[in-house]
Amino acid sequence: MPGFSTRAIRAASRIPDAPQPPLNVPIYATATFEVSDAAELGDLLEFAQPGHSYSRYSNPTHEALEAAVAELEGGEAGLATASGMAAVHGVMLSHLETGDEVIVPAAVYGGIVGIAQSVLHRAGIAVRTVDTTDHEAVADAIGPRTRLLWLETISNPTTAVADVAALSELAHANGVVVAVDNTFASPALATPLALGADVVVHSTTKYIGGHSDIIGGIVIGSAERVSAARKIVINAGGNASPWEAFLALRGLKTLALRMERHSTNALAVAQALEGAPGVAVVRYPGLASHPQHELSCRVLRGGMAGGMLAVELEGGRPHGERFLGRMRVAVHATSLGGVETLVSHPASSSHRQLSEEGLEAAGLTPGTLRVSIGLEDADDLIADLVAAAG
Ligand SMILES: Cc1ncc(COP(=O)(O)O)c(C=O)c1O
């Protein structure tokens, strides 16, 4: 008879039969999977047969999230990652080699500037920053080394809307691949692959998770592109956690409902703040005053424009700080896309990598505030934010 420890380990590893499928995807909290022989393990590690070998490579909970988001984005395959930045890294490094160039929007998440400075630069990959709302400027910027055009469906934080269809046509005519960060819109509002993009990334930390309780990311695209990104992510160790993949799956179930409420709340707040005392400019794609309002009605579904606003206050940075200190309902924190309204100051947080000129090129001033409108009652948010601005 084996000893107690041996029996305990065996007994506690026995997988139960569950003939009735659970309603939710189980969390496969396992680093590794038992194989029958070395050939099977070799095949699994090469993805030459279906199944799982080691959770840095793949895991059934990740697989469920990958399939779900791929279906919602209209993509062939998906790759769940440790963070949105791991997804960005996987896509960039699988499309770019030393000597190549990537075009990124001037108005873009600060992490893109971060990866350009800390990773792409070291790899000898050039990054060209262009106002991607100006299609002539994009056409002029495409050169013989350009391999990738990076876009955000709705830009962080200035809410510029990308004309993914027109820019994809332009890029493809020049042999350039189009990657779109669809984090701000979520697949409930926009599906860039259907507009012509080649690959999509999300920070699932934001709207897909929806509750500010996970860090995660995902890549969606053709099986070939996703498999190339997977190779990078496996070797860089950027794999997702099954616990967080489970929470992202749970978030997906209410994504459509949340995006509706984020959008109606954000429109109500944007309308109330526009012209309110102390407010210079409100940028929200749902406002008629937004430079790409018409485009946003074409790109974003259901008359919704998402939950993100950029608010420029009169009085610049000191008034921005006063605003943050006066809020009673909204919370001063970085991140976005959760049930609670979060306000941050990009110049000192998400976009701290940018110089004064970089901020200006991105359409930001040192006083711009990024507002992620949550699911609270619109009247409470309006009262809180209008009072904080005045
Ligand atoms: C548009 C966008 N993309 C990517 C990221 C990076 O995501 P994560 O923080 O999950 O790595 C963020 C984070 O704020 C973001 O706003």
Side-chain angles (χ1 to χ4, degrees):
M1 170 114 162
F4 181 85
S5 294
T6 306
R7 286 189 291 124
I9 290 166
R10 287 286 161 224
S13 304
R14 219 166 282 132
I15 307 297
D17 265 346
Q20 289 71 36
L23 218 50
N24 292 299
V25 175
I27 302 171
Y28 284 85
T30 185
T32 192
F33 300 81
E34 185 177 352
V35 291
S36 51
D37 56 34
E40 185 189 4
L41 182 53
D43 279 354
L44 287 168
L45 288 166
E46 291 298 323
F47 298 98
Q49 73 168 72
H52 306 279
S53 56
Y54 184 55
S55 285
R56 177 156 54 79
Y57 285 57
S58 69
N59 171 291
T61 315
H62 303 165
E63 191 180 10
L65 176 63
E66 289 160 354
V69 181
E71 180 181 330
L72 298 174
E73 284 285 357
E76 203 180 352
L79 166 67
T81 57
S83 65
M85 283 313 297
V88 170
H89 178 265
V91 169
M92 288 202 170
L93 272 282
S94 58
H95 284 88
L96 298 165
E97 288 185 5
T98 304
D100 290 346
E101 189 168 88
V102 52
I103 295 179
V104 304
V108 75
Y109 169 55
I112 300 299
V113 180
I115 196 172
Q117 291 171 348
S118 62
V119 178
L120 303 182
H121 172 71
R122 284 166 182 270
I125 295 164
V127 177
R128 199 147 169 176
T129 303
V130 176
D131 173 1
T132 46
T133 64
D134 178 348
H135 295 189
E136 260 181 51
V138 175
D140 288 348
I142 295 176
R145 295 166 55 196
T146 313
R147 295 280 170 274
L148 188 63
L149 170 64
W150 194 266
L151 299 173
E152 290 178 354
T153 323
I154 306 173
S155 75
N156 180 353
T158 52
T159 76
V161 178
D163 192 341
V164 177
L167 287 166
S168 296
E169 217 170 286
L170 171 63
H172 291 158
N174 290 280
V176 172
V177 171
V178 178
V180 179
D181 184 333
N182 198 29
T183 298
F184 268 35
S186 91
L189 297 197
T191 38
L193 296 176
L195 298 172
D198 301 294
V199 60
V200 163
V201 301
H202 282 278
S203 164
T204 56
T205 311
K206 318 298 185 196
Y207 288 108
I208 290 179
H211 295 76
S212 306
D213 53 7
I214 62 168
I215 297 284
I218 199 157
V219 177
I220 304 294
S222 66
E224 199 182 335
R225 286 190 201 287
V226 168
S227 153
R230 190 181 291 275
K231 279 207 182 95
I232 300 291
V233 169
I234 286 172
N235 290 300
N239 55 285
S241 134
W243 305 88
E244 293 180 305
F246 169 84
L247 288 172
L249 280 164
R250 190 174 68 171
L252 274 183
K253 296 186 183 191
T254 56
L255 178 64
L257 271 178
R258 287 185 285 105
M259 290 314 290
E260 267 180 45
R261 179 71 176 259
H262 283 299
S263 298
T264 50
N265 272 2
L267 181 61
V269 171
Q271 285 168 336
L273 283 177
E274 197 170 43
V279 177
V281 184
V282 180
R283 291 205 196 84
Y284 180 64
L287 289 177
S289 59
H290 189 279
Q292 291 98 32
H293 176 62
E294 249 182 78
L295 173 66
S296 96
C297 297
R298 277 188 280 128
V299 172
L300 307 176
R301 270 195 290 274
M304 294 183 278
M308 298 302 301
L309 326 175
V311 179
E312 209 179 295
L313 297 173
E314 286 165 0
R317 192 178 189 132
H319 282 212
E321 278 162 16
R322 193 181 68 178
F323 184 103
L324 293 167
R326 282 177 169 179
M327 297 182 315
R328 296 292 171 265
V329 177
V331 178
H332 179 188
T334 192
S335 201
L336 59 106
V339 297
E340 50 290 289
T341 294
L342 302 183
V343 184
S344 67
H345 176 233
S348 60
S349 56
S350 56
H351 291 67
R352 68 192 178 288
Q353 299 93 339
L354 273 66
S355 61
E356 287 273 322
E357 301 82 64
L359 284 175
E360 198 184 320
L364 288 168
T365 66
T368 304
L369 295 175
R370 182 180 78 184
V371 185
S372 169
I373 294 291
L375 307 184
E376 302 92 338
D377 294 289
D379 287 347
D380 294 333
L381 292 176
I382 290 170
D384 191 42
L385 299 176
V386 168

